Amino acid sequence: MVQKEMVPAKPPKGLVGRVVSWYLENYLANLFAGAWEPQPEGPLPLDIPQASPQQVQRCVEILSRAKRPLMVLGSQALLTPTSADKLRAAVETLGVPCFLGGMARGLLGRNHPLHIRENRSAALKKADVIVLAGTVCDFRLSYGRVLSHSSKIIIVNRNREEMLLNSDIFWKPQEAVQGDVGSFVLKLVEGLQGQTWAPDWVEELREADRQKEQTFREKAAMPVAQHLN
């Protein structure tokens, strides 16, 4: 059908017409090359990178010495093979306060004590160890400028290019792990074996959350002449 529309039915007589006809026939041949050859059916094989035991161990050692750890979970954390339920249980067991973004929003529920919503930039500046789990240092993190130079940064991502985006410009990772995010978090929990951190760090973040929320509620309650505040 495409050939009938594009290629003249009768061979042209002029030189220009023959050149155009030759070009169109070759173009169509390349455009539909292999279109009718049999192709394999079924799901494509998966190639999911995994963090090496040595990388996991180094990250475990960094986190074990942290006083104010913080985790930022992104969409990649919800990819298979790790289920959302297993990831949630691992985050709860780990006990590190979290900011959630992308498809990870809602992972911990509305009022979970580890879920921090407000003042992310300020919290990132105060944290001594930050785990960027499936989070990219793009405009959402000011290209890495919100990360403190005194903080130790652990970043894990399946894609190396995304993982190192803007690194050595505005930020620098202590450990850059190319691997599946959910599996990495589960391995962290195994390596730390129930280690806990002082509750005052989480409470400080939650208090900042409450103050910000109260400010919003007060602004919303202010009367205005018309319409919404």
Side-chain angles (χ1 to χ4, degrees):
M1 184 176 67
V2 177
Q3 190 173 25
K4 287 179 180 179
E5 292 289 334
M6 292 183 65
V7 181
K10 296 180 180 180
K13 296 180 180 179
L15 177 62
V16 175
R18 289 199 298 270
V19 170
V20 171
S21 180
W22 172 84
Y23 171 79
L24 290 175
E25 288 177 356
N26 279 275
Y27 176 76
L28 283 175
N30 291 328
L31 187 65
F32 291 97
W36 291 274
E37 295 177 4
Q39 300 292 333
E41 298 179 359
L44 296 173
L46 291 176
D47 182 19
I48 302 175
Q50 297 289 340
S52 69
Q54 293 81 9
Q55 287 177 313
V56 173
Q57 183 57 36
R58 288 197 297 268
C59 295
V60 165
E61 291 172 2
I62 292 171
L63 263 175
S64 66
R65 293 190 292 267
K67 301 297 183 184
R68 300 183 304 279
L70 193 63
M71 180 179 289
V72 184
L73 280 168
S75 296
Q76 265 197 39
L78 273 297
L79 293 177
T80 53
T82 305
S83 68
D85 291 337
K86 285 186 178 180
L87 180 63
R88 175 191 170 104
V91 171
E92 289 176 332
T93 302
L94 192 62
V96 174
C98 296
F99 286 95
L100 305 176
M103 294 301 293
R105 289 189 177 98
L107 178 71
L108 296 176
R110 184 184 179 105
N111 298 310
H112 199 283
L114 293 176
H115 183 196
I116 312 300
R117 296 177 177 82
E118 308 293 345
N119 306 298
R120 186 171 70 172
S121 296
L124 289 170
K125 291 292 185 186
K126 292 181 180 179
D128 58 355
V129 175
I130 301 169
V131 181
L132 300 177
T135 301
V136 180
C137 286
D138 56 11
F139 67 95
R140 288 164 288 193
L141 288 177
S142 296
Y143 309 100
R145 284 188 289 240
V146 296
L147 303 175
S148 173
H149 292 293
S150 60
S151 302
K152 293 182 177 178
I153 312 297
I154 297 171
I155 186 165
V156 54
N157 197 293
R158 292 189 182 191
N159 184 286
R160 182 171 179 81
E161 185 177 346
E162 288 187 4
M163 177 174 64
L164 299 177
L165 190 66
N166 298 309
S167 66
D168 297 324
I169 301 175
F170 300 119
W171 69 287
K172 187 176 181 65
Q174 181 82 8
E175 283 292 335
V177 181
Q178 185 177 1
D180 176 59
V181 177
S183 304
F184 175 78
V185 174
L186 265 61
K187 291 172 184 175
L188 274 186
V189 174
E190 293 176 6
L192 288 162
Q193 295 181 349
Q195 176 172 333
T196 58
W197 288 269
D200 55 344
W201 167 236
V202 178
E203 185 53 38
E204 178 184 342
L205 297 176
R206 288 185 59 78
E207 179 59 28
D209 248 19
R210 286 190 287 267
Q211 291 178 6
K212 194 71 171 285
E213 182 66 25
Q214 182 61 29
T215 301
F216 289 154
R217 290 184 182 278
E218 290 173 0
K219 286 182 178 180
M222 283 182 175
V224 292
Q226 59 179 351
H227 307 306
L228 294 172
N229 187 327

